Amino acid sequence: MTNNTSDWVARSLKSVWHPCTQMQHHETVPLIPVSHGRGAWLYDHDGRRYLDAISSWWVNLFGHANPRINAALRDQLDMLEHAMLAGFTHEPVIRLSERLSALTGGVLGHAFYASDGASAVEIALKMSFHAWRNAGRGEKQEFVCLQGSYHGETIGALAVTDVALFKDAYGPLLRATQTVMSPDARQARDGETAQDVARRAAADVQRLFEAKADKIAAIIIEPLVQCAAGMAMHDPLYLQLVRELCDKHAVHLIFDEIAVGCGRTGTFFACEQAGIWPDFVTLSKGISGGYLPLSLVLTRDEIYQAFYSADITRGFLHSHSYTGNPLACRAALATLDIFEEDGVLEANRGRAGKLAAAMAPLADHPRASNMRQRGMILAFDAVGVDKAFSRRFFANATRNELLLRPIGATVYLMPPYILDDEEIAGLAARTQAVFEQTLAEA
């Protein structure tokens, strides 16, 4: 049996159904079998390497095969790999829950665990609905999401997603959801600022709440950056205004920080930049450093207390087999250790500035618009491209030692927090070269 790239590709195409993929496209778009990873780089079986500039779907924070996370997992393997969390508990899940609550100043706590981000969104939606029912407000059953929002692809999460490509085929399965204007700063009219757009979008929420708040359980928002909407960025003022509206109209506020949390936007929680906390926050992706599936929901004590009763039907009976898995929690603890010990958020401010400077030449490119950045997320929109732009760009990027996968016409960088100056310069130069090459092919 051979052990080269072409053999692994053939075997994978015969046996694996790959996610978020029209499989027929792999007749022309390369499938890359990864052999191993080191730092910011992935390597295939023929020794070619690829700079993981999107952190393997936004999960990797401190590089592949990180020695400190590896060491923590090896230690945990010798103690406990898994135990059910119903009726039992263990040190990693306790310590992780305490540390995450402390990062919110104790405002949010009582972590409830799952594995993937969509499951965490499901949990937050169910908790909101059930908390209102337990409070005698069973009529509050509707949810509100933003235009262009994406919160996952399980049935509940998909109902609060507003991306037709993912949602339309499953419409008959989904609950109806109210959709409000996105605060995407790219919608600014002549003379408007990002804060002006935020105010217009918040006014749309206000109109809906004034008409229907008695029926609405919660609004769900990806704070600061709507990632799957093409890295749509908004001013923190929007979050402040919506928090005020939720308080006034008795609507829960859910922040989906699955992609934007864990330092991606410059603060550990994106909502910190607005100076407010939601009623629920969901975390996943980077919380385990990109090592193991882990997601969770933090909520306020008054919501936890709404379920606290001798009556089992008032309890939150949701469960997953691997809830609070010790290995995943230990990886998350190691991830938090790195944040604290290495001053990661401060270091990222310098790293983000260098990335912006390296990418600055593209800001004046006639086929690039809306160059924007929030922390370690940088994006721009390709102008006048066809629907195949993303696939062509991805293929060209791999030939230039890059893992970059545009969202439609939006090219974005979301690298791990370990790039050195040489890697930043190389990432910027190759991104620009791939952009020019892909435009020339159209």
Side-chain angles (χ1 to χ4, degrees):
M1 183 178 295
T2 60
N3 194 35
N4 58 33
T5 289
S6 60
D7 180 62
W8 287 114
V9 167
R11 290 170 62 183
S12 187
L13 291 174
K14 288 181 179 178
S15 61
V16 181
W17 197 336
H18 294 267
C20 200
T21 299
Q22 169 49 262
M23 291 298 294
Q24 191 185 59
H25 290 165
H26 279 307
E27 293 180 6
T28 55
V29 177
L31 182 66
I32 299 169
V34 176
S35 167
H36 63 283
R38 291 290 183 274
W41 298 86
L42 295 169
Y43 296 81
D44 68 19
H45 288 267
D46 292 336
R48 288 186 291 265
R49 67 176 190 167
Y50 311 88
L51 181 64
D52 191 354
I54 58 172
S55 300
S56 289
W57 258 348
W58 320 341
V59 302
N60 189 280
L61 300 189
F62 301 119
H64 300 281
N66 182 283
R68 290 149 78 180
I69 303 176
N70 287 356
L73 288 174
R74 289 191 188 99
D75 181 65
Q76 185 62 41
L77 277 169
D78 288 331
M79 293 189 291
L80 179 66
E81 82 300 336
H82 185 65
M84 63 185 288
L85 207 61
F88 290 82
T89 192
H90 52 77
E91 181 180 346
V93 78
I94 296 168
R95 289 176 56 213
L96 179 58
S97 302
E98 291 173 341
R99 289 179 68 174
L100 290 171
S101 181
L103 288 173
T104 74
V107 175
L108 304 175
H110 286 106
F112 196 102
Y113 290 86
S115 52
D116 57 89
S119 296
V121 169
E122 297 276 343
I123 289 165
L125 297 174
K126 288 177 66 177
M127 279 184 175
S128 174
F129 164 81
H130 199 164
W132 287 122
R133 192 182 76 164
N134 283 352
R137 301 291 304 276
E139 73 280 3
K140 293 174 76 67
Q141 300 181 9
E142 297 184 20
F143 296 99
V144 181
C145 66
L146 307 188
Q147 291 173 345
S149 59
Y150 175 90
H151 299 289
E153 295 173 48
T154 51
I155 295 300
L158 197 58
V160 291
T161 287
D162 185 49
V163 180
L165 180 64
F166 300 126
K167 186 174 182 177
D168 282 0
Y170 309 104
L173 303 178
L174 307 178
R175 286 181 60 90
T177 303
Q178 302 290 332
T179 303
V180 292
M181 173 185 169
S182 168
D184 181 357
R186 291 175 295 180
Q187 299 177 112
R189 299 166 179 163
D190 288 346
E192 274 193 331
T193 66
Q195 287 201 341
D196 292 328
V197 179
R199 291 187 183 93
R200 279 201 288 122
D204 196 36
V205 177
Q206 181 177 355
R207 284 189 289 271
L208 176 63
F209 282 7
E210 288 175 349
K212 296 200 64 177
D214 60 329
K215 303 292 185 184
I216 295 172
I219 181 171
I220 183 168
I221 298 169
E222 211 174 2
L224 300 186
V225 186
Q226 290 179 258
C227 293
M231 301 300 161
M233 300 184 184
H234 60 259
D235 192 276
L237 175 63
Y238 178 73
L239 306 178
Q240 297 170 4
L241 296 174
V242 174
R243 174 73 274 180
E244 292 171 5
L245 290 168
C246 287
D247 291 341
K248 179 179 179 180
H249 294 278
V251 173
H252 289 151
L253 179 56
I254 302 171
F255 281 164
D256 175 353
E257 297 230 5
I258 289 161
V260 299
C262 301
R264 287 290 180 196
T265 67
T267 48
F268 189 83
F269 293 98
C271 63
E272 293 178 68
Q273 295 177 49
I276 54 99
W277 294 105
D279 301 299
F280 303 87
V281 66
T282 63
L283 283 178
S284 189
K285 291 190 181 291
I287 189 60
S288 74
Y291 265 68
L292 289 164
L294 181 67
S295 66
L296 60 101
V297 178
L298 298 172
T299 191
R300 293 177 182 265
D301 188 63
E302 52 265 37
I303 291 171
Y304 173 80
Q305 291 298 329
F307 293 87
Y308 201 81
S309 170
D311 182 354
I312 191 170
T313 65
R314 292 176 63 87
F316 190 64
L317 304 183
H318 188 102
S319 64
H320 295 269
S321 299
Y322 283 92
T323 292
N325 174 261
L327 286 168
C329 289
R330 190 69 186 275
L333 287 165
T335 297
L336 295 183
D337 287 343
I338 295 173
F339 269 102
E340 292 182 9
E341 295 166 6
D342 292 7
V344 168
L345 296 176
E346 181 179 355
N348 274 358
R349 284 192 282 274
R351 192 172 283 113
K354 292 175 180 178
L355 185 61
M359 289 292 291
L362 263 178
D364 297 323
H365 194 289
R367 299 287 298 279
S369 67
N370 299 308
M371 182 73 74
R372 55 198 181 274
Q373 185 175 16
R374 178 71 70 172
M376 289 296 290
I377 306 173
L378 184 146
F380 66 90
D381 301 321
V383 176
V385 296
D386 60 18
K387 291 182 178 180
F389 170 80
S390 177
R391 293 200 302 276
R392 293 201 312 273
F393 191 103
F394 170 75
N396 289 330
T398 60
R399 287 191 282 269
N400 283 270
E401 295 191 335
L402 290 182
L403 170 51
L404 280 178
R405 184 181 167 115
I407 301 171
T410 297
V411 178
Y412 73 93
L413 311 179
M414 197 187 292
Y417 307 157
I418 60 168
L419 296 190
D420 59 27
D421 290 355
E422 182 180 351
E423 288 170 331
I424 289 172
L427 169 58
R430 289 174 181 168
T431 299
Q432 294 172 52
V434 170
F435 183 56
E436 295 283 10
Q437 179 183 353
T438 307
L439 291 176
E441 292 173 350

